[in-house]
Amino acid sequence: MYRSDTFLWPEGTPPSDAYCDEDERLAILAAYGTASMVDDPELQEIAELAARICNTPMAMVTMVEEGRQQFLARTGLEARETPRSTSFCAHAMLGAEPLVVADAREDARFTDNPLVTGEPHIRFYAGYPLVSAEGAPFGALCVIDTVPRAEGLTALQRNTLAVLAKSVMRRLSQHRLGATAKQAVHLRESYLKRMIDSVPGIAWSTDAAGKFDYINPQWTELTGLPAPRTLADWRAAVHPEDWENAAGAFQHSLTSGAPFEYEWRLKLADGAFRWMLSRAVKSEVGNGESRWFGTVIEIDRQRRLSEARDLLANELSHRIKNIFAVVSGLVSIRARRRPEAAKFADELNQAIRALGAAHNYVRPDHGHREGTLTGLLSDLLAPYGSAEETRFTIAGPGIAISPRAATPLALIFHELATNSAKYGALSCPEGQVTVLVEETGADGGDISVVWEESARSCDIPAPGAHEGFGSRLLRMAVEGQLGGTFERSYSDDGLHVRIGFPRKSIDS
């Protein structure tokens, strides 16, 4: 908020010498934009009140310009301006106190003034200087009578005119501030519009009902179509296969207020289609009103690269699954020729099938879309046990894991299980593996997995042995992908591994 006293020049102080220079004075006067305040209702009320209080037929709010005196408000006078050379207010505005002329015919400054010798036959004049906050003299609030007044103004009239003169300057200053604020807003809007128009994507806005009132030039440049005004106008530019779902999703957002996000294909001016990502959010703009602001950004290259990577990954996954199937088939064929090995072949096929199930976790989009950490551990360790022989124990709550987290988790525990089968507890008949899953931290915000290998009669590798690519893979998956910690220690009794990570890294 602006304080009212910042609008006013100190009362009883003459104008600033710096702003009495005519060029400087006129520059400040122009900055106030007084030309647009002619017949301002508030100033008109002030002039009329001044005339009634002083019991004069005429009162004016005057601005002294380079060659004329303009009346922003007036009563009792038809003219809207007079020449500056005849202006009483040009004298009044330069003083520290109001100018009071009891009888203009007897004042040497005004005896020959055309406004005294002719219409409107000024005799009595009282003018309070109007000075800007900078100290520039503008004009005066004056009252005029056609008969002389030897007594001048009463104390009440002087005080009232002083208050009204301050009100005039407050009104002029508020007008200036308002104009300055509007100009600043217009300038910022202009900058913002130029910025939005320069971005490579499409930007748009709608009212709360979804009526489009702005869309930047990129729309027409890309599509060759006029700017849309309704949602239906977009149909010509959206791939037919995408239109119903995309339009429905946007309509749902309009109804629910939820953010809008959708991928669809945009038809370009040359007839080609490009994948786009469209986003929009609802924003409150004041007075209980809301608007939608959105963007449309091309993601065609990223989309096609992603599709190509998925195609390659799918093909690799399919080939790996085929390898499991081929190996299992070869084992079955060879076992038919050797009945004595049938039991062993059946156990081996079960292990191969379990490995295939574990592979589904590495490619979560093509296997387990939902699951738990203990379930994943059971699938991964299944190849290393049998119905008659339990080599491992898994305990802990069924903590859900997301498809995104399944990949690093499967890599981590598959690597531990493989190492155990090669060098640790699962490499000897007496070895046992115990896995404990725990919720730790405040409100279970962290997860801890303890992997214990008990292998008293097995050869336990010395610390640092067999720590090559697999160990680096473990640490990269735990620390890099899950944001967790990995600790491993060996003892005479076996191996102890503790893995900790934030819960949010596996459930989102």
Side-chain angles (χ1 to χ4, degrees):
M1 291 291 292
Y2 289 92
R3 296 187 311 166
S4 60
D5 57 359
T6 62
F7 299 155
L8 304 177
W9 184 249
E11 189 174 359
T13 304
S16 168
D17 290 339
Y19 290 106
C20 285
D21 174 82
E22 191 64 6
D23 289 339
E24 295 291 336
R25 188 187 76 84
L26 291 174
I28 296 296
L29 181 60
Y32 274 72
T34 56
S36 65
M37 297 194 70
V38 175
D39 295 332
D40 178 77
E42 189 172 336
L43 295 181
Q44 184 63 34
E45 289 178 356
I46 291 174
E48 292 172 356
L49 180 59
R52 288 198 300 273
I53 291 293
C54 297
N55 194 25
T56 59
M58 291 174 280
M60 301 91 173
V61 175
T62 67
M63 294 288 111
V64 179
E65 300 177 356
E66 183 175 12
R68 67 172 179 169
Q69 172 182 256
Q70 186 178 35
F71 305 140
L72 299 186
R74 69 201 190 286
T75 183
L77 187 70
E78 290 297 326
R80 290 184 173 274
E81 62 181 60
T82 58
R84 178 173 178 174
S85 59
T86 65
S87 172
F88 281 58
C89 295
H91 295 270
M93 71 180 186
L94 299 175
E97 298 293 335
L99 173 64
V100 179
V101 180
D103 189 342
R105 294 173 301 179
E106 296 179 1
D107 191 310
R109 292 171 294 181
F110 306 113
T111 300
D112 298 327
N113 190 303
L115 301 179
V116 176
T117 59
E119 292 291 339
H121 300 289
I122 297 175
R123 298 296 180 263
F124 172 74
Y125 171 92
Y128 267 71
L130 299 176
V131 182
S132 74
E134 298 87 353
F138 282 179
L141 168 64
C142 67
V143 292
I144 296 172
D145 203 344
T146 56
V147 295
R149 290 189 184 186
E151 71 282 3
L153 296 173
T154 67
L156 176 60
Q157 290 169 340
R158 291 177 69 93
N159 291 338
T160 302
L161 285 182
V163 171
L164 293 177
K166 292 177 183 178
S167 297
V168 170
M169 287 313 303
R170 289 191 183 97
R171 176 69 184 110
L172 296 179
S173 297
Q174 289 168 347
H175 174 75
R176 179 191 188 187
L177 288 173
T180 301
K182 288 179 181 178
Q183 183 180 15
V185 170
H186 177 75
L187 185 61
R188 287 195 295 269
E189 288 179 347
S190 176
Y191 287 160
L192 180 61
K193 185 175 183 299
R194 286 200 292 270
M195 181 188 72
I196 292 174
D197 288 348
S198 68
V199 300
I202 297 170
W204 52 265
S205 67
T206 77
D207 61 15
K211 182 180 179 181
F212 292 82
D213 53 15
Y214 173 78
I215 190 161
N216 67 349
Q218 273 70 9
W219 166 270
T220 300
E221 291 179 11
L222 287 172
T223 66
L225 299 173
R229 293 294 174 224
T230 66
L231 178 59
D233 294 338
W234 286 66
R235 184 165 195 159
V238 179
H239 195 288
E241 295 178 3
D242 303 331
W243 167 251
E244 293 295 337
N245 289 337
F250 182 63
Q251 193 61 54
H252 172 74
S253 291
L254 286 179
T255 303
S256 66
F260 170 73
E261 181 171 328
Y262 203 85
E263 293 181 13
W264 48 274
R265 285 162 288 184
L266 178 72
K267 184 177 182 180
L268 303 186
D270 62 3
F273 284 94
R274 293 286 186 274
W275 278 102
M276 298 286 173
L277 172 62
S278 183
R279 289 192 175 106
V281 294
K282 182 180 181 180
S283 299
E284 302 300 325
V285 294
N287 297 323
E289 297 181 1
S290 62
R291 299 188 59 76
W292 286 84
F293 299 94
T295 57
V296 179
I297 301 173
E298 181 175 338
I299 57 168
D300 194 76
R301 183 172 181 273
Q302 298 93 313
R303 176 91 181 207
R304 296 186 188 282
L305 284 174
S306 178
E307 290 175 349
R309 285 194 297 266
D310 286 346
L311 181 63
L312 177 60
N314 292 341
E315 179 62 23
L316 290 173
S317 179
H318 179 68
R319 289 178 181 272
I320 291 171
K321 296 288 285 186
N322 281 345
I323 289 173
F324 287 137
V326 169
V327 172
S328 180
L330 290 174
V331 170
S332 298
I333 291 173
R334 295 296 187 270
R336 292 192 196 104
R337 300 176 182 176
R338 296 178 175 82
E340 69 279 8
K343 183 177 180 181
F344 169 75
D346 183 60
E347 292 178 353
L348 184 57
N349 273 332
Q350 289 180 14
I352 293 172
R353 284 193 292 272
L355 285 173
H359 173 71
N360 289 335
Y361 282 96
V362 181
R363 285 292 298 156
D365 290 343
H366 296 270
H368 295 271
R369 295 188 177 272
E370 296 181 359
T372 63
L373 181 53
T374 50
L376 178 145
L377 287 165
S378 297
D379 284 346
L380 289 173
L381 291 175
Y384 305 100
S386 66
E388 296 81 13
E389 183 182 23
T390 301
R391 305 291 306 279
F392 52 83
T393 302
I394 302 170
I399 299 171
I401 58 174
S402 66
R404 183 187 297 274
T407 298
L409 289 171
L411 290 174
I412 291 166
F413 294 110
H414 176 72
E415 181 65 22
L416 287 173
T418 301
N419 286 343
S420 181
K422 291 180 180 178
Y423 320 112
L426 297 180
S427 66
C428 57
E430 299 83 359
Q432 296 286 326
V433 174
T434 301
V435 185
L436 177 62
V437 179
E438 299 176 302
E439 295 175 310
T440 61
D443 300 323
D446 296 319
I447 303 299
S448 176
V449 181
V450 177
W451 177 288
E452 292 276 5
E453 294 190 22
S454 175
R456 289 182 176 83
S457 61
C458 305
D459 290 334
I460 302 301
H466 309 296
E467 293 189 359
F469 173 77
S471 296
R472 292 195 299 272
L473 179 65
L474 275 172
R475 294 191 182 277
M476 179 183 69
V478 174
E479 297 171 1
Q481 294 180 268
L482 298 180
T485 58
F486 175 82
E487 301 173 3
R488 175 167 51 185
S489 62
Y490 295 94
S491 68
D492 293 340
D493 292 332
L495 171 67
H496 176 86
V497 175
R498 177 178 290 274
I499 299 170
F501 43 83
R503 188 187 195 112
K504 66 181 181 181
S505 66
I506 66 169
D507 62 5
S508 59

